[in-house]
Amino acid sequence: MDLYNMLAVLAWFLYVRVSLSMRVREGDDILPLVALLEGAVAKGMTQGDVCTMLVEHSKDLKDEQSIFRFITQVFALGSDSVGKLHPVAVLRCMAVYLKMPLNIIDSDTNETLLFPAVLDHQPKSVQYLLASGVPGNFRNSDGENAAELALIFCPECLIDLLTGGVNPNDEFQESCSKATILQDECQAGWNLVHFAAQAGAATSLKNLKQYGADFNAKDHLGLTPVLVAIRRGRLQVLSELGRLGASFFSVHNQRGWTPAHYACRYLDDSIGLVKFLATIQEFGGSLNGTNHDNQTPAHICASARMNYLGRSNPDALSYLHEMAIESFQVRDSNNRTPEEVAESEKGNVAEIFFYKIKVNQYARQAAKANERKHIFQKKSEEAIKCKELEEQVKTIFDCSGDGIKVPRGVMLMKESQGDCGKSRCAARCPNAAACPECQDCEAQQTQCADGYDDASQGCSRCQAGYGRRREDPFQCKACGEIPWLSWVTYVVKPLGIYLVSLWTAHKKRDRTASLLKIWMAFGIVMASISPSIKSSDTFAKIHTSLVQSVEAGEGAASLATQMTGASFDCLLDNPHASMTAWLGLSFAPPLVLWLLTMIYVVGRSMSAGSGMVSALTKDALKVTIVSTNCFLPDMVAALVRFVPCIHFQVFDQSKQYLQFNVETQCSQVVGMRLAAVFAAILLGTVLGPVYWVAVIMKSKQWEDREEVLGFLISHYRDKVRWWEATVLIRKCALAVAVTLFSASYAPMLYLSSILLIVGLGLACHSYVLPYDDSFLNRLEFGTLMASFIAVFCTFLLQLEMVSWAVDDTVTIPAGVILVLVGTVPSLGLMVLYFMEIRSFGLQRLTSLADQVKSAVARDDPD
């Protein structure tokens, strides 16, 4: 349509030019003057020479009509280029020197000189004429003014005309026929913006906007410039109208059509209808509005009859279906949807479009059905898999999202892990902290926390560079960068405990021995609960200084027990060290120390003579009792490590594994476990309490009983001299409980057993009060009470992970109390012990001084 309008404008211009030429030919009286003028310009005469020539032949310009025709011909021949005729110079010569009027009107067309100046694109001549008083808003016999022509032929002249008094909102009255009204081609009541929209004069719109033109003005039929631009197919003008603020949203003509209706009515896909619709939508126009017949633009685009060009528009329908799909469900006044409109017209190509829409809808419905079926099938499969996993570990998995969300404390194993016999199976992690929660664990390379081996079932093994704790095989700790330091600790700690115990067992140091025994008993309790404290969530929340206080208290308590220390895995540089190796490392210190001491005792006895056999026997008894007091709990625990079993899935007798060697099934080593149980019972009863009680009972007849067994029976009342055997039983029971019930794997059983043992010890002590020293009775009662409170507080910390009712309001105070009862007693016992040693040293020095004074007095005769 742009080509059509261009041809129409060109035809109009040719018509005007031919009309002007005919007027000149009819005026034979000016032909000689025109010819002279052309000759003078051709010879290169100056503007002054031209003016002189005009003055000499001014008699040829007889009246206003001949002047008008002559100037019109000057405009047609004139140019501002060098070597050409300058119309402004001619106008100035005629007005100034010839005194001829320029404000003249052609009697045939009722036009001023502005009209031919605009038609021949003479902007400087227009400026001169306006300055000379020629009215810019003068209308010719057709009702046009020069500004209307300037929109097409001289856009540069428009600003001068608007400045010269032309009102851009003046309406142009034109007669309209019935045919032009029906085709929306009538120009009744147009302003300059309407004409610019019709002519495609996009560059003139900004000038009109600057001078106050109404871009939403309606003509006598209700057409706005937006509708005119659409009717004439002026896409560039339509975009410019939108940018300059013309309304696209509420524009309706007398039939109630919106710009989108107009586009579907007068344009088609071959002219770029989709671009027009996109522009309308861009500037706020509606694509689903209805006209007076309740038709949407989709109704118009779907109909070939309602389109001015006699074609429906499938491409436009596709765009409307994408951007305003709801309009395809609207029914017009004849109760038809756009699809039914297309079906009512035979041979309408829009039917193919709607057929494709149906096919696509059916395809989408089928695809959605398949997708729903696939999703349902996938969810069903995931639900079945989740159910299988939940049955294996008795916990809930989240399968609602993509992949399986594995909860904390559970590991989703690969086919190469474990022997569950399924393509996918889950395992409970003995240490929940080793298996953090993860989403879509199957897609992850690692599931275990740092320090734990992903290749092990349930993250139950340690990585290289880490070792299992002695008291809890499912807690891994870093070995450190200097291996020999671990060996130093391994050697020095038992040696120190043993030497201090031997030194304390000397005669007259009975209170020192009692303090050491109380300290060792308290240290075993704190070492027993240490893994549970460190694995609790509250421990991580406590301030760093409090954490350091807890560790300091535990460190002071652990100095008196062999149950804690460097990891045996780190000592052997093997995160999977065998239980046999652990057993050897547990028995080596006490056996070696006992053997070396016995060699020393025998050697000393042999050097003293044969009469010392009885003394040798008693020294051997003392050494053996001291050794068992220091190391028996750890030795019993080392044997018990062969006994406990764990399971990674729902309890199955055939799928239990050794707690300290999770790659060995318990059913494969039944004999070894029974032997370990027998050895532990034999060692923990015969060599320990039974042996002690027998020795204490037999020693009643010894004259040197206090010298030999003073450290064992000192400060106990006569009726309960055997009470230390019960203390040993309590320490062994704690060691067995810690070993049987891992703090990570069975925290409640672990803490319940410790609480029971400590509680029974506290009750028995409170009932018997075995010491004949009230201070020692109160001291041991206090340490037992502190132990009981520490175990109970640790129990509360573990409850936080299994009960929602236990929160920070319970665990934080419990943590603070735990700090106090774990730190104060252990440090207090340490201070009392060393104060007792210092006091004994001062007493000994005083005794030596008295002996020296007595000797000196005997030697002095005076």
Side-chain angles (χ1 to χ4, degrees):
M1 184 166 289
D2 284 339
L3 180 61
Y4 169 78
N5 284 284
M6 290 176 62
L7 294 175
V9 172
L10 180 61
W12 184 28
F13 176 74
L14 292 176
Y15 167 76
V16 173
R17 297 300 302 151
V18 170
S19 298
L20 290 175
S21 300
M22 291 178 63
R23 293 174 191 172
V24 173
R25 286 195 296 271
E26 289 173 358
D28 293 336
D29 53 340
I30 67 167
L31 287 178
L33 182 58
V34 172
L36 287 173
L37 187 62
E38 288 180 326
V41 172
K43 293 177 181 179
M45 294 179 64
T46 65
Q47 299 298 321
D49 294 338
V50 170
C51 184
T52 302
M53 183 194 70
L54 288 176
V55 171
E56 293 175 355
H57 296 83
S58 60
K59 60 181 184 297
D60 295 336
L61 300 175
K62 301 176 182 179
D63 52 24
E64 289 185 0
Q65 292 303 309
S66 60
I67 294 172
F68 190 93
R69 288 194 297 273
F70 174 74
I71 295 177
T72 299
Q73 190 65 17
V74 168
F75 290 151
L77 299 175
S79 172
D80 290 335
S81 302
V82 178
K84 299 291 183 178
L85 178 63
H86 292 265
V88 175
V90 174
L91 291 174
R92 185 179 294 108
C93 179
M94 297 179 69
V96 175
Y97 294 99
L98 297 179
K99 304 298 181 182
M100 293 182 178
L102 298 180
N103 192 11
I104 56 179
I105 300 174
D106 182 38
S107 59
D108 295 331
T109 62
N110 196 40
E111 293 178 348
T112 65
L113 289 173
L114 286 174
F115 286 82
V118 169
L119 286 173
D120 286 308
H121 198 276
Q122 299 294 332
K124 292 185 178 180
S125 298
V126 170
Q127 292 176 3
Y128 188 82
L129 291 172
L130 289 171
S132 299
V134 178
N137 57 356
F138 190 85
R139 296 179 183 269
N140 62 13
S141 56
D142 294 328
E144 301 171 337
N145 63 16
E148 181 184 345
L149 299 177
L151 292 171
I152 303 173
F153 300 105
C154 187
E156 297 93 332
C157 304
L158 181 61
I159 296 178
D160 295 318
L161 292 169
L162 293 172
T163 306
V166 175
N167 185 353
N169 293 316
D170 282 346
E171 293 185 355
F172 291 78
Q173 302 292 335
E174 294 187 15
S175 60
C176 298
S177 65
K178 185 176 181 180
T180 57
I181 292 175
L182 290 176
Q183 296 175 5
D184 289 323
E185 292 183 340
C186 178
Q187 300 176 355
W190 282 19
N191 66 7
L192 287 179
V193 184
H194 287 86
F195 282 106
Q198 179 195 40
T203 56
S204 299
L205 291 175
K206 290 183 180 179
N207 295 330
L208 293 173
K209 184 71 175 180
Q210 182 180 355
Y211 284 88
D214 185 2
F215 278 60
N216 297 316
K218 295 184 178 181
D219 67 4
H220 295 172
L221 297 179
L223 299 180
T224 64
V226 168
L227 297 178
V228 172
I230 294 172
R231 176 66 181 86
R232 301 299 178 182
R234 306 294 190 185
L235 181 61
Q236 184 179 0
V237 171
L238 187 66
S239 299
E240 189 66 20
L241 287 170
R243 286 190 287 269
L244 293 174
S247 175
F248 282 68
F249 182 73
S250 59
V251 176
H252 296 75
N253 70 342
Q254 292 179 347
R255 291 188 288 271
W257 285 14
T258 66
H261 286 90
Y262 250 70
C264 287
R265 164 67 174 165
Y266 290 109
L267 308 177
D268 68 359
D269 292 336
S270 65
I271 305 174
L273 173 55
V274 172
K275 294 182 179 179
F276 279 84
L277 293 174
T279 302
I280 292 169
Q281 186 182 29
E282 177 186 356
F283 293 107
S286 174
L287 298 182
N288 55 8
T290 57
N291 60 13
H292 295 335
D293 294 325
N294 208 45
Q295 296 169 325
T296 65
H299 286 85
I300 311 299
C301 279
S303 173
R305 295 176 184 172
M306 287 187 279
N307 183 270
Y308 180 71
L309 301 176
R311 296 187 286 268
S312 60
N313 300 289
D315 290 346
L317 284 173
S318 178
Y319 181 80
L320 291 172
H321 191 269
E322 180 181 356
M323 298 297 175
I325 189 172
E326 64 276 8
S327 65
F328 284 73
Q329 305 302 321
V330 177
R331 294 186 175 273
D332 61 12
S333 57
N334 294 323
N335 197 33
R336 297 182 301 178
T337 63
E339 180 180 0
E340 293 169 349
V341 169
E343 291 174 350
S344 67
E345 298 176 0
K346 186 177 181 180
N348 190 338
V349 295
E351 287 188 86
I352 300 176
F353 165 77
F354 287 106
Y355 175 76
K356 290 180 178 179
I357 292 295
K358 288 181 179 179
V359 171
N360 291 335
Q361 287 177 345
Y362 293 147
R364 284 195 297 271
Q365 291 174 358
K368 287 182 179 179
N370 290 333
E371 183 179 0
R372 286 194 296 268
K373 182 179 179 181
H374 175 71
I375 293 174
F376 177 77
Q377 183 178 0
K378 183 178 179 181
K379 291 297 182 183
S380 299
E381 292 175 356
E382 292 292 340
I384 293 172
K385 292 175 181 178
C386 277
K387 186 177 180 180
E388 292 178 356
L389 296 175
E390 290 170 358
E391 290 176 350
Q392 292 168 11
V393 294
K394 290 299 181 184
T395 191
I396 298 176
F397 288 80
D398 184 2
C399 298
S400 59
D402 295 334
I404 299 176
K405 186 176 182 179
V406 180
R408 181 178 182 267
V410 176
M411 180 183 189
L412 197 62
M413 295 190 296
K414 301 176 183 177
E415 295 183 15
S416 59
Q417 295 173 325
D419 55 351
C420 58
K422 296 180 175 62
S423 59
R424 177 191 294 175
C425 59
R428 280 274 191 177
C429 299
N431 181 6
C435 299
E437 179 183 88
C438 65
Q439 178 71 44
D440 194 14
C441 292
E442 291 177 306
Q444 297 184 12
Q445 295 294 326
T446 60
Q447 293 186 55
C448 302
D450 188 30
Y452 296 88
D453 188 4
D454 281 277
S456 63
Q457 188 174 0
C459 301
S460 55
R461 288 289 195 179
C462 299
Q463 289 180 338
Y466 289 80
R468 294 168 287 174
R469 291 181 179 272
R470 297 188 196 179
E471 62 274 22
D472 186 350
F474 302 119
Q475 288 190 26
C476 299
K477 64 177 183 179
C479 292
E481 299 180 356
I482 308 176
W484 60 266
L485 284 179
S486 298
W487 281 103
V488 170
T489 304
Y490 170 75
V491 173
V492 170
K493 184 176 180 180
L495 179 61
I497 295 173
Y498 184 66
L499 292 178
V500 170
S501 298
L502 278 178
W503 184 67
T504 306
H506 194 274
K507 183 184 176 183
K508 301 296 184 181
R509 295 181 184 175
D510 44 7
R511 191 164 182 174
T512 307
S514 298
L515 289 173
L516 180 62
K517 290 182 289 185
I518 295 172
W519 183 16
M520 292 178 67
F522 181 75
I524 289 178
V525 174
M526 294 306 298
S528 300
I529 65 174
S530 173
S532 287
I533 297 174
K534 293 182 178 179
S535 64
S536 65
D537 293 336
T538 304
F539 186 80
K541 301 175 186 176
I542 300 177
H543 193 270
T544 305
S545 60
L546 297 180
V547 173
Q548 292 173 350
S549 298
V550 172
E551 293 179 342
E554 292 176 1
S558 65
L559 289 175
T561 177
Q562 181 64 8
M563 288 181 59
T564 60
S567 171
F568 292 151
D569 291 340
C570 294
L571 293 176
L572 299 172
D573 194 20
N574 180 8
H576 303 158
S578 66
M579 288 189 296
T580 305
W582 275 43
L583 181 65
L585 291 173
S586 297
F587 273 74
L591 293 178
V592 171
L593 291 174
W594 178 82
L595 182 60
L596 292 176
T597 308
M598 291 302 296
I599 292 172
Y600 169 76
V601 169
V602 172
R604 187 182 66 175
S605 176
M606 291 178 65
S607 65
S610 58
M612 300 300 295
V613 175
S614 176
L616 174 62
T617 303
K618 293 177 181 179
D619 285 343
L621 288 174
K622 180 184 290 189
V623 170
T624 304
I625 291 174
V626 170
S627 298
T628 54
N629 189 42
C630 293
F631 303 115
L632 186 62
D634 187 47
M635 296 169 68
V636 172
L639 289 170
V640 174
R641 289 192 185 108
F642 289 85
V643 177
C645 296
I646 66 167
H647 55 277
F648 295 97
Q649 296 175 319
V650 175
F651 184 76
D652 184 352
Q653 190 67 27
S654 63
K655 297 295 177 61
Q656 295 188 71
Y657 302 86
L658 290 178
Q659 181 170 283
F660 284 82
N661 187 8
V662 293
E663 289 154 355
T664 302
Q665 290 190 7
C666 292
S667 59
Q668 299 173 353
V669 289
V670 175
M672 181 186 68
R673 293 171 62 220
L674 291 174
V677 171
F678 178 76
I681 294 174
L682 183 65
L683 184 65
T685 57
V686 176
L687 187 60
V690 173
Y691 172 69
W692 282 20
V693 171
V695 171
I696 292 172
M697 292 302 182
K698 189 176 181 179
S699 67
K700 289 181 180 181
Q701 308 300 324
W702 295 356
E703 294 180 358
D704 56 352
R705 184 185 189 192
E706 291 294 330
E707 181 181 352
V708 177
L709 300 178
F711 73 97
L712 190 62
I713 63 175
S714 61
H715 281 284
Y716 286 127
R717 292 187 291 111
D718 290 337
K719 292 183 179 180
V720 288
R721 292 280 183 158
W722 44 265
W723 185 257
E724 191 64 27
T726 65
V727 177
L728 181 62
I729 293 174
R730 186 173 76 231
K731 293 190 290 185
C732 290
L734 285 171
V736 170
V738 170
T739 306
L740 285 178
F741 309 117
S742 164
S744 299
Y745 178 70
M748 294 297 105
L749 284 174
Y750 164 81
L751 290 172
S752 298
S753 61
I754 295 178
L755 192 64
L756 176 62
I757 295 168
V758 175
L760 287 174
L762 176 62
C764 292
H765 175 82
S766 301
Y767 178 76
V768 176
L769 294 175
Y771 292 104
D772 57 8
D773 185 343
S774 60
F775 172 75
L776 292 176
N777 277 325
R778 290 195 299 270
L779 182 64
E780 184 157 5
F781 176 82
T783 56
L784 285 172
M785 180 58 72
S787 300
F788 185 83
I789 294 173
V791 177
F792 182 74
C793 290
T794 308
F795 196 93
L796 292 178
L797 297 185
Q798 289 295 323
L799 277 179
E800 183 183 22
M801 294 185 283
V802 296
S803 175
W804 65 273
V806 180
D807 55 17
D808 288 350
T809 59
V810 176
T811 57
I812 296 298
V816 174
I817 295 173
L818 183 59
V819 169
L820 296 176
V821 298
T823 305
V824 175
S826 57
L827 295 178
L829 287 169
M830 184 187 299
V831 171
L832 287 175
Y833 180 75
F834 287 108
M835 285 179 64
E836 189 66 25
I837 292 175
R838 180 175 177 274
S839 175
F840 176 79
L842 292 175
Q843 290 176 4
R844 186 173 182 182
L845 288 175
T846 303
S847 176
L848 288 174
D850 292 341
Q851 292 176 8
V852 170
K853 288 180 180 180
S854 298
V856 171
R858 286 195 301 267
D859 294 338
D860 189 356
D862 296 330

